[in-house]
Amino acid sequence: MFLVVASMVCLGLLTFGVKADTDIEQLVRTVDDLQVEINGLKRRCSDAPPGGFIQEDGYILGFRIVAGKGYFGEMSWDMESNGDQPFVQSMRQCTCNTGAGPCNRNYRSSILDFWDAIPVTTAKLSMYKNGEEKQFIIFNAKDTYYWRWIFDESKVLESSWVDLKTETHDYFTPGEYFSGRSYFFNHVSGDCSTLGGWMFLQFGQDACSWAIPQNGSYPIILYSPAKTWVRYESEAEQADSLALWLKVDNVENLNAPCVQ
């Protein structure tokens, strides 16, 4: 409640004053009036159309998964969309308004709910560490009607991994098809010492010790820091976050409001 009131005052949406000697009855009426006003604002904001999208380099942020911050819904699809609602935006620190952070919260944009109704042209999957994009994959997203079809090896347009399009893949999927691993782009399977590829997330207990976070908090995001695939055990690094960006034709550059 305090954060709501403080933010409204800061935004110039609400001003009120209560004198120190105001009796209890007057104070109760004032608080009741304030609650009515806050509830009205929340309803108006909840009914407002999405528009506070986070944008970067012509892309709109679809979702961000932060390492160690828990399960994010079935491949980030069934989590409730509230990341870009105006009321939520006004409560969020500016540091959360990028793909990389530093930000300690997961994010899901309502743009995912309208995927099949808007002209999405490309999708970019980015891995971040220490606030910097380390690796990326760009997919052709034209004429896609459901998010799963984006993660198809035949749709890769470009990648920071130079061998992603030329090497073979035994797993290339966002689904949890192997030991609970997700966003699993893999080159060669085997035991824990031979398993190798480009990246994967693990949302739960893994058979390989190197895929278990030291602090015990999932998910863990592993990726190849090289220009090619690597053996996860000896060469992979841990990312701080993973983000999906969407490029849409004929969309305005919308700036998300946030708390300064």
Side-chain angles (χ1 to χ4, degrees):
M1 178 65 73
F2 175 78
L3 288 176
V4 172
V5 175
S7 297
M8 294 175 67
V9 173
C10 210
L11 294 171
L13 298 175
L14 179 67
T15 58
F16 69 93
V18 179
K19 294 182 180 180
D21 58 350
T22 301
D23 59 32
I24 298 299
E25 188 173 303
Q26 179 61 43
L27 179 59
V28 169
R29 284 197 297 268
T30 301
V31 171
D32 288 343
D33 291 342
L34 174 60
Q35 188 63 57
V36 170
E37 195 166 348
I38 290 173
N39 289 339
L41 176 63
K42 290 172 67 175
R43 284 194 298 272
R44 291 193 297 274
C45 290
S46 296
D47 294 337
F53 298 122
I54 297 173
Q55 287 192 267
E56 214 171 82
D57 299 326
Y59 285 90
I60 296 173
L61 182 61
F63 65 75
R64 178 206 301 111
I65 299 176
V66 180
K69 293 302 174 182
Y71 190 60
F72 190 44
E74 179 60 28
M75 297 306 92
S76 312
W77 189 255
D78 64 1
M79 183 178 177
E80 181 181 359
S81 294
N82 61 7
D84 46 35
Q85 293 298 325
F87 188 76
V88 176
Q89 287 276 26
S90 67
M91 299 295 106
R92 186 174 62 227
Q93 294 295 323
C94 292
T95 54
C96 286
N97 281 7
T98 65
C103 185
N104 63 353
R105 62 169 51 183
N106 295 325
Y107 171 93
R108 186 190 190 281
S109 171
S110 63
I111 193 172
L112 298 181
D113 299 326
F114 305 102
W115 189 302
D116 60 348
I118 57 179
V120 179
T121 58
T122 54
K124 181 180 181 183
L125 194 67
S126 298
M127 280 126 281
Y128 297 92
K129 187 173 183 177
N130 299 325
E132 296 182 5
E133 182 185 66
K134 294 300 184 180
Q135 303 288 14
F136 68 85
I137 309 173
I138 297 177
F139 297 86
N140 177 10
K142 291 183 178 179
D143 301 320
T144 52
Y145 64 93
Y146 183 65
W147 73 276
R148 182 180 294 275
W149 298 106
I150 285 296
F151 300 98
D152 186 319
E153 55 193 299
S154 68
K155 292 183 177 293
V156 176
L157 297 176
E158 182 183 349
S159 176
S160 55
W161 290 301
V162 297
D163 63 342
L164 185 68
K165 295 178 67 175
T166 58
E167 289 285 4
T168 58
H169 315 109
D170 59 357
Y171 289 94
F172 198 96
T173 176
E176 298 182 39
Y177 293 108
F178 187 84
S179 300
R181 294 167 185 160
S182 307
Y183 299 98
F184 190 36
F185 304 136
N186 200 63
H187 172 56
V188 58
S189 294
D191 59 28
C192 292
S193 63
T194 59
L195 193 66
W198 295 271
M199 69 157 291
F200 74 86
L201 278 75
Q202 178 58 281
F203 278 105
Q205 189 69 30
D206 195 277
C208 299
S209 60
W210 44 261
I212 301 174
Q214 292 183 351
N215 63 2
S217 298
Y218 290 93
I220 185 173
I221 307 171
L222 296 176
Y223 73 100
S224 164
K227 292 296 183 181
T228 61
W229 72 274
V230 298
R231 302 287 181 185
Y232 296 120
E233 182 178 42
S234 58
E235 301 170 281
E237 293 186 1
Q238 294 187 27
D240 299 327
S241 61
L242 169 73
L244 179 71
W245 299 88
L246 300 179
K247 186 170 286 187
V248 182
D249 279 346
N250 303 317
V251 65
E252 295 182 9
N253 184 18
L254 302 173
N255 294 317
C258 58
V259 180
Q260 297 292 344

